[in-house]
Short mmCIF file of all heavy atoms in Angstrom, two decimals:
data_model
loop_
_atom_site.label_atom_id
_atom_site.label_comp_id
_atom_site.label_asym_id
_atom_site.label_seq_id
_atom_site.Cartn_x
_atom_site.Cartn_y
_atom_site.Cartn_z
N ALA Q 61 15.89 -13.47 -12.72
CA ALA Q 61 14.59 -13.99 -13.16
C ALA Q 61 13.70 -12.87 -13.69
O ALA Q 61 12.83 -13.10 -14.52
CB ALA Q 61 13.91 -14.71 -12.01
N LEU Q 62 13.90 -11.67 -13.17
CA LEU Q 62 13.09 -10.52 -13.57
C LEU Q 62 14.01 -9.39 -14.01
O LEU Q 62 14.14 -8.37 -13.34
CB LEU Q 62 12.22 -10.08 -12.39
CG LEU Q 62 11.36 -11.20 -11.77
CD1 LEU Q 62 10.77 -10.77 -10.43
CD2 LEU Q 62 10.26 -11.61 -12.73
N PRO Q 63 14.65 -9.57 -15.16
CA PRO Q 63 15.77 -8.71 -15.54
C PRO Q 63 15.39 -7.26 -15.79
O PRO Q 63 16.24 -6.38 -15.71
CB PRO Q 63 16.30 -9.35 -16.83
CG PRO Q 63 15.36 -10.44 -17.19
CD PRO Q 63 14.27 -10.52 -16.21
N VAL Q 64 14.14 -7.01 -16.11
CA VAL Q 64 13.76 -5.65 -16.46
C VAL Q 64 13.52 -4.79 -15.21
O VAL Q 64 13.61 -3.57 -15.26
CB VAL Q 64 12.50 -5.67 -17.35
CG1 VAL Q 64 12.17 -4.29 -17.86
CG2 VAL Q 64 12.68 -6.63 -18.51
N MET Q 65 13.26 -5.44 -14.12
CA MET Q 65 12.98 -4.71 -12.88
C MET Q 65 14.26 -4.07 -12.35
O MET Q 65 15.31 -4.71 -12.29
CB MET Q 65 12.39 -5.66 -11.85
CG MET Q 65 12.02 -5.00 -10.54
SD MET Q 65 11.19 -6.15 -9.41
CE MET Q 65 12.05 -7.66 -9.75
N SER Q 66 14.17 -2.83 -11.94
CA SER Q 66 15.36 -2.15 -11.43
C SER Q 66 15.67 -2.60 -10.00
O SER Q 66 14.81 -3.11 -9.29
CB SER Q 66 15.15 -0.64 -11.45
OG SER Q 66 14.27 -0.25 -10.41
N ASP Q 67 16.92 -2.40 -9.61
CA ASP Q 67 17.34 -2.71 -8.24
C ASP Q 67 16.47 -2.00 -7.22
O ASP Q 67 16.07 -2.59 -6.21
CB ASP Q 67 18.79 -2.27 -8.02
CG ASP Q 67 19.76 -3.38 -8.33
OD1 ASP Q 67 19.31 -4.53 -8.46
OD2 ASP Q 67 20.95 -3.10 -8.46
N LYS Q 68 16.20 -0.76 -7.48
CA LYS Q 68 15.41 0.00 -6.53
C LYS Q 68 14.06 -0.64 -6.28
O LYS Q 68 13.66 -0.87 -5.13
CB LYS Q 68 15.19 1.42 -7.04
CG LYS Q 68 14.23 2.24 -6.20
CD LYS Q 68 14.02 3.61 -6.81
CE LYS Q 68 12.99 4.41 -6.05
NZ LYS Q 68 11.63 3.90 -6.24
N VAL Q 69 13.39 -1.00 -7.37
CA VAL Q 69 12.06 -1.57 -7.22
C VAL Q 69 12.15 -2.95 -6.58
O VAL Q 69 11.34 -3.28 -5.70
CB VAL Q 69 11.34 -1.63 -8.58
CG1 VAL Q 69 9.99 -2.30 -8.44
CG2 VAL Q 69 11.18 -0.23 -9.14
N LEU Q 70 13.15 -3.73 -6.97
CA LEU Q 70 13.28 -5.06 -6.36
C LEU Q 70 13.50 -4.96 -4.85
O LEU Q 70 12.83 -5.64 -4.06
CB LEU Q 70 14.42 -5.85 -7.01
CG LEU Q 70 14.68 -7.23 -6.40
CD1 LEU Q 70 13.43 -8.09 -6.35
CD2 LEU Q 70 15.78 -7.96 -7.18
N SER Q 71 14.40 -4.10 -4.44
CA SER Q 71 14.63 -4.02 -2.99
C SER Q 71 13.44 -3.38 -2.29
O SER Q 71 13.09 -3.76 -1.17
CB SER Q 71 15.92 -3.25 -2.69
OG SER Q 71 15.89 -1.97 -3.24
N ASP Q 72 12.77 -2.43 -2.97
CA ASP Q 72 11.52 -1.90 -2.41
C ASP Q 72 10.52 -3.02 -2.18
O ASP Q 72 9.91 -3.13 -1.10
CB ASP Q 72 10.89 -0.88 -3.38
CG ASP Q 72 11.54 0.49 -3.26
OD1 ASP Q 72 12.45 0.65 -2.43
OD2 ASP Q 72 11.13 1.40 -4.00
N ARG Q 73 10.32 -3.87 -3.19
CA ARG Q 73 9.31 -4.93 -3.09
C ARG Q 73 9.67 -5.92 -1.99
O ARG Q 73 8.82 -6.36 -1.23
CB ARG Q 73 9.20 -5.65 -4.43
CG ARG Q 73 8.61 -4.82 -5.54
CD ARG Q 73 7.20 -4.36 -5.20
NE ARG Q 73 6.73 -3.35 -6.15
CZ ARG Q 73 6.87 -2.06 -5.97
NH1 ARG Q 73 7.42 -1.59 -4.87
NH2 ARG Q 73 6.42 -1.20 -6.85
N LEU Q 74 10.95 -6.28 -1.94
CA LEU Q 74 11.35 -7.26 -0.93
C LEU Q 74 11.17 -6.68 0.47
O LEU Q 74 10.71 -7.38 1.39
CB LEU Q 74 12.80 -7.68 -1.16
CG LEU Q 74 13.01 -8.55 -2.41
CD1 LEU Q 74 14.48 -8.73 -2.72
CD2 LEU Q 74 12.33 -9.90 -2.24
N ALA Q 75 11.49 -5.41 0.64
CA ALA Q 75 11.30 -4.78 1.95
C ALA Q 75 9.81 -4.73 2.28
O ALA Q 75 9.40 -5.04 3.40
CB ALA Q 75 11.90 -3.38 1.94
N HIS Q 76 9.01 -4.36 1.30
CA HIS Q 76 7.57 -4.27 1.52
C HIS Q 76 6.97 -5.63 1.87
O HIS Q 76 6.19 -5.77 2.81
CB HIS Q 76 6.90 -3.69 0.28
CG HIS Q 76 5.41 -3.69 0.36
ND1 HIS Q 76 4.62 -4.38 -0.53
CD2 HIS Q 76 4.56 -3.11 1.24
CE1 HIS Q 76 3.35 -4.21 -0.20
NE2 HIS Q 76 3.28 -3.46 0.86
N LEU Q 77 7.36 -6.65 1.11
CA LEU Q 77 6.82 -7.99 1.36
C LEU Q 77 7.30 -8.52 2.70
O LEU Q 77 6.59 -9.29 3.37
CB LEU Q 77 7.21 -8.93 0.22
CG LEU Q 77 6.51 -8.66 -1.11
CD1 LEU Q 77 7.11 -9.50 -2.23
CD2 LEU Q 77 5.01 -8.93 -0.99
N THR Q 78 8.50 -8.15 3.08
CA THR Q 78 9.00 -8.57 4.40
C THR Q 78 8.19 -7.91 5.51
O THR Q 78 7.76 -8.57 6.45
CB THR Q 78 10.49 -8.20 4.52
OG1 THR Q 78 11.22 -8.82 3.46
CG2 THR Q 78 11.05 -8.67 5.86
N ARG Q 79 7.97 -6.61 5.38
CA ARG Q 79 7.15 -5.91 6.36
C ARG Q 79 5.74 -6.49 6.41
O ARG Q 79 5.11 -6.54 7.48
CB ARG Q 79 7.07 -4.41 6.01
CG ARG Q 79 8.06 -3.54 6.78
CD ARG Q 79 7.92 -2.08 6.36
NE ARG Q 79 8.60 -1.80 5.09
CZ ARG Q 79 8.05 -1.24 4.03
NH1 ARG Q 79 6.79 -0.89 4.05
NH2 ARG Q 79 8.76 -1.02 2.94
N ALA Q 80 5.23 -6.93 5.26
CA ALA Q 80 3.87 -7.46 5.21
C ALA Q 80 3.79 -8.89 5.74
O ALA Q 80 2.71 -9.48 5.77
CB ALA Q 80 3.34 -7.40 3.78
N GLY Q 81 4.92 -9.47 6.12
CA GLY Q 81 4.90 -10.83 6.65
C GLY Q 81 4.75 -11.88 5.58
O GLY Q 81 4.35 -13.01 5.85
N VAL Q 82 5.09 -11.53 4.35
CA VAL Q 82 4.97 -12.48 3.25
C VAL Q 82 6.30 -13.15 2.96
O VAL Q 82 6.36 -14.32 2.60
CB VAL Q 82 4.46 -11.74 1.99
CG1 VAL Q 82 4.56 -12.61 0.75
CG2 VAL Q 82 3.02 -11.27 2.21
N VAL Q 83 7.35 -12.40 3.14
CA VAL Q 83 8.69 -12.88 2.78
C VAL Q 83 9.58 -12.89 4.01
O VAL Q 83 9.48 -12.02 4.88
CB VAL Q 83 9.29 -11.98 1.68
CG1 VAL Q 83 10.80 -12.13 1.60
CG2 VAL Q 83 8.65 -12.29 0.34
N ASP Q 84 10.45 -13.89 4.06
CA ASP Q 84 11.43 -13.98 5.12
C ASP Q 84 12.81 -13.77 4.52
O ASP Q 84 13.10 -14.25 3.43
CB ASP Q 84 11.34 -15.36 5.79
CG ASP Q 84 11.87 -15.33 7.20
OD1 ASP Q 84 12.00 -14.22 7.76
OD2 ASP Q 84 12.14 -16.41 7.74
N ARG Q 85 13.64 -13.06 5.28
CA ARG Q 85 14.95 -12.69 4.76
C ARG Q 85 16.03 -13.30 5.65
O ARG Q 85 16.10 -13.01 6.83
CB ARG Q 85 15.04 -11.18 4.79
CG ARG Q 85 16.30 -10.60 4.23
CD ARG Q 85 16.30 -9.12 4.56
NE ARG Q 85 17.19 -8.37 3.70
CZ ARG Q 85 17.22 -7.05 3.66
NH1 ARG Q 85 16.36 -6.36 4.38
NH2 ARG Q 85 18.08 -6.42 2.90
N ASP Q 86 16.85 -14.14 5.02
CA ASP Q 86 17.91 -14.83 5.76
C ASP Q 86 19.26 -14.22 5.43
O ASP Q 86 19.85 -14.52 4.40
CB ASP Q 86 17.93 -16.33 5.36
CG ASP Q 86 17.25 -17.19 6.39
OD1 ASP Q 86 16.83 -16.63 7.42
OD2 ASP Q 86 17.14 -18.40 6.17
N ARG Q 87 19.76 -13.40 6.35
CA ARG Q 87 21.10 -12.83 6.14
C ARG Q 87 22.14 -13.80 6.68
O ARG Q 87 22.10 -14.17 7.84
CB ARG Q 87 21.21 -11.51 6.89
CG ARG Q 87 20.33 -10.39 6.34
CD ARG Q 87 20.61 -9.11 7.15
NE ARG Q 87 20.38 -7.92 6.35
CZ ARG Q 87 21.26 -7.47 5.47
NH1 ARG Q 87 22.40 -8.09 5.29
NH2 ARG Q 87 20.98 -6.37 4.77
N ARG Q 88 23.12 -14.15 5.87
CA ARG Q 88 24.23 -14.99 6.30
C ARG Q 88 25.44 -14.10 6.43
O ARG Q 88 25.91 -13.53 5.43
CB ARG Q 88 24.48 -16.09 5.26
CG ARG Q 88 25.00 -17.38 5.81
CD ARG Q 88 23.90 -18.12 6.61
NE ARG Q 88 22.71 -18.33 5.80
CZ ARG Q 88 22.54 -19.42 5.01
NH1 ARG Q 88 23.44 -20.35 4.96
NH2 ARG Q 88 21.44 -19.56 4.33
N PRO Q 89 25.95 -13.90 7.64
CA PRO Q 89 27.09 -12.98 7.81
C PRO Q 89 28.37 -13.60 7.27
O PRO Q 89 29.12 -14.23 8.01
CB PRO Q 89 27.15 -12.80 9.34
CG PRO Q 89 26.51 -14.01 9.90
CD PRO Q 89 25.60 -14.60 8.86
N SER Q 90 28.62 -13.42 5.99
CA SER Q 90 29.80 -13.99 5.36
C SER Q 90 30.29 -13.03 4.29
O SER Q 90 29.72 -11.97 4.07
CB SER Q 90 29.46 -15.35 4.75
OG SER Q 90 28.49 -15.18 3.72
N TRP Q 91 31.34 -13.43 3.63
CA TRP Q 91 31.80 -12.63 2.50
C TRP Q 91 32.11 -13.53 1.32
O TRP Q 91 32.85 -14.46 1.45
CB TRP Q 91 33.04 -11.82 2.86
CG TRP Q 91 33.27 -10.78 1.83
CD1 TRP Q 91 34.13 -10.84 0.76
CD2 TRP Q 91 32.59 -9.52 1.72
NE1 TRP Q 91 34.03 -9.71 0.01
CE2 TRP Q 91 33.10 -8.88 0.57
CE3 TRP Q 91 31.60 -8.89 2.47
CZ2 TRP Q 91 32.66 -7.61 0.17
CZ3 TRP Q 91 31.16 -7.64 2.07
CH2 TRP Q 91 31.70 -7.02 0.93
N PRO Q 92 31.49 -13.24 0.18
CA PRO Q 92 30.51 -12.19 -0.07
C PRO Q 92 29.20 -12.46 0.68
O PRO Q 92 28.91 -13.62 0.94
CB PRO Q 92 30.30 -12.25 -1.59
CG PRO Q 92 30.69 -13.62 -1.98
CD PRO Q 92 31.73 -14.07 -1.02
N PRO Q 93 28.47 -11.43 0.97
CA PRO Q 93 27.21 -11.61 1.72
C PRO Q 93 26.24 -12.53 0.99
O PRO Q 93 26.06 -12.41 -0.22
CB PRO Q 93 26.65 -10.19 1.82
CG PRO Q 93 27.51 -9.33 0.99
CD PRO Q 93 28.77 -10.03 0.71
N ARG Q 94 25.63 -13.42 1.73
CA ARG Q 94 24.61 -14.32 1.19
C ARG Q 94 23.28 -13.99 1.87
O ARG Q 94 23.18 -13.95 3.08
CB ARG Q 94 24.98 -15.78 1.50
CG ARG Q 94 25.96 -16.39 0.51
CD ARG Q 94 25.21 -17.05 -0.64
NE ARG Q 94 25.99 -16.93 -1.89
CZ ARG Q 94 25.45 -17.10 -3.10
NH1 ARG Q 94 24.18 -17.39 -3.21
NH2 ARG Q 94 26.18 -16.97 -4.18
N VAL Q 95 22.29 -13.76 1.06
CA VAL Q 95 20.95 -13.52 1.60
C VAL Q 95 19.99 -14.40 0.84
O VAL Q 95 20.03 -14.44 -0.40
CB VAL Q 95 20.53 -12.04 1.45
CG1 VAL Q 95 19.16 -11.83 2.05
CG2 VAL Q 95 21.55 -11.14 2.11
N ARG Q 96 19.17 -15.14 1.56
CA ARG Q 96 18.15 -15.95 0.89
C ARG Q 96 16.77 -15.42 1.25
O ARG Q 96 16.48 -15.13 2.40
CB ARG Q 96 18.26 -17.43 1.28
CG ARG Q 96 19.62 -18.02 0.91
CD ARG Q 96 19.54 -19.38 0.23
NE ARG Q 96 18.78 -19.45 -1.01
CZ ARG Q 96 19.32 -19.32 -2.23
NH1 ARG Q 96 20.60 -19.07 -2.39
NH2 ARG Q 96 18.58 -19.42 -3.30
N TYR Q 97 15.97 -15.30 0.23
CA TYR Q 97 14.59 -14.87 0.41
C TYR Q 97 13.67 -16.07 0.29
O TYR Q 97 13.75 -16.82 -0.69
CB TYR Q 97 14.21 -13.80 -0.61
CG TYR Q 97 14.91 -12.49 -0.35
CD1 TYR Q 97 16.08 -12.14 -1.03
CD2 TYR Q 97 14.42 -11.61 0.60
CE1 TYR Q 97 16.72 -10.95 -0.77
CE2 TYR Q 97 15.05 -10.41 0.86
CZ TYR Q 97 16.20 -10.10 0.17
OH TYR Q 97 16.84 -8.91 0.43
N THR Q 98 12.82 -16.23 1.28
CA THR Q 98 11.86 -17.33 1.26
C THR Q 98 10.49 -16.79 1.60
O THR Q 98 10.36 -15.71 2.19
CB THR Q 98 12.22 -18.40 2.29
OG1 THR Q 98 12.21 -17.80 3.59
CG2 THR Q 98 13.60 -18.96 2.03
N LEU Q 99 9.47 -17.54 1.25
CA LEU Q 99 8.12 -17.16 1.64
C LEU Q 99 7.86 -17.64 3.07
O LEU Q 99 8.26 -18.75 3.45
CB LEU Q 99 7.08 -17.79 0.71
CG LEU Q 99 6.99 -17.19 -0.70
CD1 LEU Q 99 5.88 -17.89 -1.47
CD2 LEU Q 99 6.74 -15.70 -0.65
N THR Q 100 7.17 -16.84 3.83
CA THR Q 100 6.66 -17.28 5.12
C THR Q 100 5.46 -18.18 4.87
O THR Q 100 4.96 -18.27 3.75
CB THR Q 100 6.21 -16.07 5.94
OG1 THR Q 100 5.11 -15.46 5.26
CG2 THR Q 100 7.33 -15.07 6.11
N PRO Q 101 4.95 -18.87 5.90
CA PRO Q 101 3.70 -19.62 5.74
C PRO Q 101 2.59 -18.74 5.18
O PRO Q 101 1.85 -19.14 4.28
CB PRO Q 101 3.39 -20.09 7.16
CG PRO Q 101 4.73 -20.19 7.82
CD PRO Q 101 5.57 -19.09 7.23
N ASN Q 102 2.51 -17.54 5.70
CA ASN Q 102 1.53 -16.60 5.16
C ASN Q 102 1.76 -16.32 3.68
O ASN Q 102 0.81 -16.19 2.91
CB ASN Q 102 1.62 -15.28 5.93
CG ASN Q 102 0.42 -15.07 6.83
OD1 ASN Q 102 -0.59 -15.73 6.66
ND2 ASN Q 102 0.54 -14.15 7.76
N GLY Q 103 3.00 -16.21 3.31
CA GLY Q 103 3.32 -15.98 1.91
C GLY Q 103 2.87 -17.13 1.04
O GLY Q 103 2.32 -16.93 -0.05
N HIS Q 104 3.06 -18.34 1.50
CA HIS Q 104 2.61 -19.50 0.74
C HIS Q 104 1.09 -19.49 0.56
O HIS Q 104 0.58 -19.95 -0.45
CB HIS Q 104 3.06 -20.81 1.40
CG HIS Q 104 4.42 -21.24 0.98
ND1 HIS Q 104 5.55 -21.04 1.74
CD2 HIS Q 104 4.85 -21.83 -0.17
CE1 HIS Q 104 6.61 -21.51 1.09
NE2 HIS Q 104 6.21 -22.00 -0.07
N ARG Q 105 0.41 -18.95 1.55
CA ARG Q 105 -1.04 -18.90 1.44
C ARG Q 105 -1.50 -17.95 0.34
O ARG Q 105 -2.71 -17.88 0.04
CB ARG Q 105 -1.67 -18.50 2.78
CG ARG Q 105 -1.59 -19.60 3.84
CD ARG Q 105 -2.59 -19.35 4.98
NE ARG Q 105 -2.51 -18.01 5.51
CZ ARG Q 105 -3.41 -17.05 5.27
NH1 ARG Q 105 -4.46 -17.32 4.54
NH2 ARG Q 105 -3.26 -15.86 5.78
N LEU Q 106 -0.60 -17.19 -0.22
CA LEU Q 106 -0.98 -16.33 -1.34
C LEU Q 106 -1.16 -17.13 -2.62
O LEU Q 106 -1.73 -16.62 -3.59
CB LEU Q 106 0.06 -15.23 -1.54
CG LEU Q 106 0.00 -14.09 -0.53
CD1 LEU Q 106 1.17 -13.14 -0.71
CD2 LEU Q 106 -1.32 -13.32 -0.70
N GLY Q 107 -0.69 -18.37 -2.63
CA GLY Q 107 -0.88 -19.19 -3.82
C GLY Q 107 -2.32 -19.22 -4.29
O GLY Q 107 -2.60 -18.87 -5.44
N PRO Q 108 -3.26 -19.62 -3.45
CA PRO Q 108 -4.67 -19.64 -3.87
C PRO Q 108 -5.19 -18.28 -4.26
O PRO Q 108 -6.06 -18.18 -5.13
CB PRO Q 108 -5.39 -20.15 -2.61
CG PRO Q 108 -4.35 -20.89 -1.82
CD PRO Q 108 -3.04 -20.22 -2.12
N VAL Q 109 -4.66 -17.23 -3.63
CA VAL Q 109 -5.11 -15.89 -4.00
C VAL Q 109 -4.70 -15.59 -5.43
O VAL Q 109 -5.51 -15.15 -6.26
CB VAL Q 109 -4.53 -14.83 -3.03
CG1 VAL Q 109 -4.90 -13.43 -3.49
CG2 VAL Q 109 -5.01 -15.09 -1.61
N LEU Q 110 -3.44 -15.84 -5.75
CA LEU Q 110 -2.98 -15.60 -7.12
C LEU Q 110 -3.72 -16.51 -8.09
O LEU Q 110 -4.02 -16.11 -9.22
CB LEU Q 110 -1.47 -15.83 -7.22
CG LEU Q 110 -0.62 -14.84 -6.42
CD1 LEU Q 110 0.86 -15.05 -6.71
CD2 LEU Q 110 -1.01 -13.41 -6.74
N GLN Q 111 -4.05 -17.71 -7.65
CA GLN Q 111 -4.83 -18.60 -8.51
C GLN Q 111 -6.19 -17.99 -8.82
O GLN Q 111 -6.65 -18.03 -9.96
CB GLN Q 111 -5.01 -19.96 -7.84
CG GLN Q 111 -5.80 -20.96 -8.68
CD GLN Q 111 -5.01 -21.46 -9.87
OE1 GLN Q 111 -3.89 -21.92 -9.71
NE2 GLN Q 111 -5.57 -21.36 -11.06
N ALA Q 112 -6.83 -17.42 -7.81
CA ALA Q 112 -8.14 -16.80 -8.04
C ALA Q 112 -8.01 -15.63 -9.00
O ALA Q 112 -8.86 -15.44 -9.89
CB ALA Q 112 -8.74 -16.34 -6.71
N LEU Q 113 -6.94 -14.86 -8.85
CA LEU Q 113 -6.73 -13.74 -9.77
C LEU Q 113 -6.49 -14.26 -11.19
O LEU Q 113 -7.03 -13.72 -12.17
CB LEU Q 113 -5.54 -12.89 -9.31
CG LEU Q 113 -5.72 -12.16 -7.97
CD1 LEU Q 113 -4.41 -11.53 -7.51
CD2 LEU Q 113 -6.80 -11.09 -8.08
#
Side-chain angles (χ1 to χ4, degrees):
Chain Q
L62 306 167
V64 187
M65 182 175 36
S66 74
D67 269 346
K68 172 183 176 289
V69 177
L70 177 53
S71 58
D72 279 359
R73 292 300 169 267
L74 289 170
H76 174 241
L77 290 171
T78 302
R79 263 179 281 126
V82 169
V83 161
D84 204 16
R85 183 189 200 169
D86 259 357
R87 293 183 151 281
R88 211 71 55 88
S90 63
W91 194 262
R94 276 271 147 197
V95 181
R96 300 225 59 94
Y97 290 97
T98 60
L99 288 182
T100 64
N102 251 344
H104 273 101
R105 288 198 310 106
L106 284 173
V109 175
L110 294 186
Q111 180 72 52
L113 294 171

